[in-house]
């Protein structure tokens, strides 16, 4: 497995150089079909025609690069089908004209006339334009469509594999949450804190009990979807922090800042944020000689980007464990969920210094289609 992984990281695959031998084989195969193996082999490798063969390979490979890695992501992946089709047709016309110019260049290089490469019948009134329309244009269109089909088929297989991995990961994650959903240490300490508050401050005990109820309700019922409203996740986060404050000593300063400038109905995968917050509470310093602190900042900007930062103080001499865990769900699991759900639309940075540990997470969130919107759309259709 490591051997194949190293092979894929080779520059030959990283920069897609394998496209050149693929299209060389493609055009050679067509030559074999139209002529025969000995004639095609001799014409393409042991005659002046190898020049035009090289032009075919290089020009069409570069043309496919532009189509697959510029036009396709810019238009088709963004749902602009009509624009993509018009752009592709225009690009095929441009490449065909460039290829026709290569016929002149090839004739100049080998010192022959253009008739050496062009195929037309003067008796039927055919001209050099016939070579463009009957030979170059079909070849260019064929290579473009073949490259497009291969790319779309490859993307479809990757998407199916990714979806299968995501479903498997989701099942495994759900099983872990069912097994570790209620952290006994957290539950007992919270219940004891509320019990003592009932006698000291009944008002605070009532508020704490409401937070505790909301937290359990979220774990049981509200986090079953792949994406949930960001408000629900943040509400759970605030309840979690509020309950942690109950059972912490006064020498711990906790700052939670939430700023949502974006009012769109955005969704986020459940239990992504709280993993890092729980880790901060678990590993925060517990020194009597200095102030221990945890800072949590959450911001969603107008570009649907979530900025999440968690920083906590740690003991200078402590053997800090960077393997984050929340109810049995660790950093490796969270990173994998981020990869599967958000792909390249997130950035996670973890910084471990002598006296502090920080996590900075950026996620590009998706807009949710709410149930009332769906019902309205159905009513409009009906």
């Amino acid at each position: 497995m490591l051997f194949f992984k190293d092979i894929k990281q080779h520059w030959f695959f990283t920069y897609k150089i394998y496209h050149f031998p693929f299209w060389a084989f493609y055009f050679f195969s067509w030559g074999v079909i139209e002529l025969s193996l000995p004639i095609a082999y001799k014409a393409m490798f042991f005659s002046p025609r190898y020049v035009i063969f090289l032009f075919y390979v290089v020009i069409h490979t570069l043309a496919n690069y532009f189509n697959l890695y510029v036009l396709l992501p810019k238009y088709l992946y963004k749902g602009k089908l009509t624009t993509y089709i018009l752009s592709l047709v225009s690009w095929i016309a441009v490449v065909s004209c460039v290829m026709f110019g290569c016929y002149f260049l090839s004739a100049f290089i080998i010192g022959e006339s253009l008739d050496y490469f062009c195929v037309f019948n003067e008796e039927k009134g055919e001209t050099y334009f016939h070579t463009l329309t009957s030979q170059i244009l079909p070849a260019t269109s064929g290579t473009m469509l073949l490259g497009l089909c291969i790319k779309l088929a490859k993307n479809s297989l990757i998407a199916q594999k990714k979806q299968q991995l995501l479903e498997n990961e989701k099942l495994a994650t759900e099983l872990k949450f069912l097994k570790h959903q209620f952290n006994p240490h957290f539950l007992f300490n919270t219940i004891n804190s509320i019990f003592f508050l009932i006698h000291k401050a009944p008002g605070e005990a009532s508020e704490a009990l409401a937070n505790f109820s909301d937290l359990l309700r979220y774990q049981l019922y509200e986090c079953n979807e792949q994406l949930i409203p960001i408000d629900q996740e943040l509400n759970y986060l605030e309840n979690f922090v509020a309950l942690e404050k109950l059972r912490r000593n006064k020498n711990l300063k906790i700052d939670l800042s939430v700023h949502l400038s974006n009012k769109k109905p955005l969704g986020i995968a459940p239990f992504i944020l709280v993993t890092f917050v729980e880790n901060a509470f678990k590993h925060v310093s517990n020194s009597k000689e200095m102030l221990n602190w945890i800072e949590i900042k959450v911001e969603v900007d107008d570009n649907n980007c979530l900025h999440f930062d968690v920083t906590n103080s740690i003991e200078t001499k402590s053997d800090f464990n960077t393997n984050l865990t929340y109810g049995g769900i660790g950093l490796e699991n969270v990173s994998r969920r981020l990869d599967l759900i958000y792909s390249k639309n997130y950035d996670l940075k973890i910084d471990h210094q002598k006296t502090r540990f920080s996590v900075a997470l950026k996620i590009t969130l998706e807009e949710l289609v709410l149930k009332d919107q769906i019902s309205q759309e159905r009513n409009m259709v009906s």
Side-chain angles (χ1 to χ4, degrees):
M1 293 297 292
L2 290 175
F3 173 75
F4 290 107
K5 186 176 181 180
D6 293 338
I7 288 286
K8 290 182 178 180
Q9 293 177 351
H10 193 271
W11 60 268
F12 185 78
F13 294 94
T14 302
Y15 298 103
K16 316 294 183 183
I17 306 300
Y18 56 84
H19 285 209
F20 286 94
F22 172 81
W23 291 116
F25 178 77
Y26 170 80
F27 286 114
F28 178 73
S29 300
W30 270 112
V32 172
I33 293 173
E34 291 183 356
L35 303 172
S36 66
L37 179 58
I39 297 176
Y41 182 76
K42 182 179 179 180
M44 293 182 181
F45 297 104
F46 295 98
S47 76
R49 293 183 181 275
Y50 80 89
V51 179
I52 197 65
F53 173 68
L54 291 178
F55 273 121
Y56 262 99
V57 173
V58 173
I59 295 299
H60 287 88
T61 301
L62 297 177
N64 271 280
Y65 276 141
F66 184 78
N67 177 39
L68 300 180
Y69 302 110
V70 177
L71 296 181
L72 202 64
K74 187 175 182 180
Y75 298 117
L76 188 61
Y77 289 170
K78 295 182 179 179
K80 302 176 182 178
L81 178 61
T82 304
T83 305
Y84 174 72
I85 293 176
L86 293 175
S87 300
L88 180 59
V89 171
S90 301
W91 182 236
I92 291 174
V94 170
V95 174
S96 299
C97 293
V98 171
M99 195 63 226
F100 188 59
C102 290
Y103 272 67
F104 287 91
L105 183 58
S106 299
F108 174 78
I109 291 174
I110 66 174
E112 295 282 351
S113 67
L114 190 60
D115 296 348
Y116 183 80
F117 295 107
C118 295
V119 179
F120 56 88
N121 192 331
E122 294 182 355
E123 296 180 358
K124 295 182 179 181
E126 297 175 350
T127 62
Y128 294 121
F129 184 72
H130 178 75
T131 300
L132 174 62
T133 57
S134 64
Q135 183 175 345
I136 299 176
L137 187 60
T140 303
S141 302
T143 55
M144 288 294 187
L145 294 177
L146 177 60
L148 178 62
C149 291
I150 294 175
K151 182 67 173 179
L152 293 179
K154 179 182 177 182
N155 288 349
S156 178
L157 291 175
I158 292 175
Q160 291 179 6
K161 183 178 180 180
K162 180 179 178 180
Q163 183 63 29
Q164 186 63 43
L165 288 173
L166 184 59
E167 290 177 359
N168 293 340
E169 189 72 23
K170 183 180 178 182
L171 290 174
T173 302
E174 287 177 353
L175 289 175
K176 288 183 179 180
F177 275 127
L178 289 174
K179 184 177 180 180
H180 302 282
Q181 202 164 32
F182 301 110
N183 187 324
H185 183 71
F186 174 78
L187 282 176
F188 289 133
N189 279 278
T190 302
I191 293 173
N192 286 334
S193 299
I194 295 175
F195 177 77
F196 287 112
L197 278 178
I198 291 175
H199 301 283
K200 287 186 175 182
E204 293 183 15
S206 178
E207 181 180 353
L209 192 59
N211 291 337
F212 189 56
S213 176
D214 289 340
L215 185 144
L216 297 182
R217 185 182 299 108
Y218 178 86
Q219 289 189 344
L220 286 172
Y221 305 113
E222 297 178 1
C223 61
N224 296 322
E225 300 294 332
Q226 180 175 321
L227 295 178
I228 61 171
I230 183 67
D231 294 339
Q232 292 185 10
E233 180 74 5
L234 293 180
N235 183 58
Y236 176 82
L237 187 64
E238 291 173 346
N239 288 333
F240 181 86
V241 172
L243 291 174
E244 283 285 356
K245 286 182 179 180
L246 287 178
R247 60 190 194 90
R248 298 287 174 166
N249 57 46
K250 301 297 181 179
N251 199 28
L252 175 61
K253 182 182 179 182
I254 303 172
D255 289 328
L256 173 61
S257 173
V258 178
H259 180 65
L260 302 180
S261 60
N262 193 327
K263 302 302 180 182
K264 298 177 184 177
L266 302 176
I268 188 174
F271 298 108
I272 290 291
L273 305 183
V274 74
T275 305
F276 304 105
V277 174
E278 199 272 349
N279 182 78
F281 278 102
K282 181 178 181 180
H283 296 289
V284 67
S285 58
N286 189 26
S287 175
K288 297 180 180 179
E289 300 175 355
M290 69 175 199
L291 180 65
N292 311 292
W293 52 271
I294 297 176
E295 292 182 357
I296 306 167
K297 296 180 181 179
V298 184
E299 180 182 357
V300 180
D301 60 27
D302 294 331
N303 296 321
N304 299 352
C305 183
L306 169 71
H307 302 267
F308 179 68
D309 298 281
V310 181
T311 308
N312 62 276
S313 59
I314 58 177
E315 300 286 351
T316 305
K317 299 181 181 180
S318 66
D319 184 16
F320 187 80
N321 181 14
T322 59
N323 183 24
L324 311 183
T325 56
Y326 172 70
I329 307 301
L331 175 60
E332 182 179 352
N333 180 275
V334 175
S335 299
R336 184 158 182 79
R337 290 185 68 207
L338 287 169
D339 286 335
L340 291 172
I341 298 172
Y342 295 104
S343 186
K344 298 180 180 179
N345 297 321
Y346 85 96
D347 179 56
L348 175 62
K349 294 181 180 178
I350 298 177
D351 184 24
H352 180 202
Q353 299 182 9
K354 290 184 178 181
T355 59
R356 66 170 56 195
F357 183 82
S358 60
V359 174
L361 175 64
K362 294 181 182 179
I363 303 177
T364 301
L365 303 178
E366 299 180 16
E367 290 191 38
L368 293 176
V369 179
L370 303 180
K371 293 182 179 180
D372 56 347
Q373 290 179 325
I374 297 176
S375 61
Q376 289 177 5
E377 292 175 358
R378 290 177 177 174
N379 292 334
M380 291 177 64
V381 173
S382 60

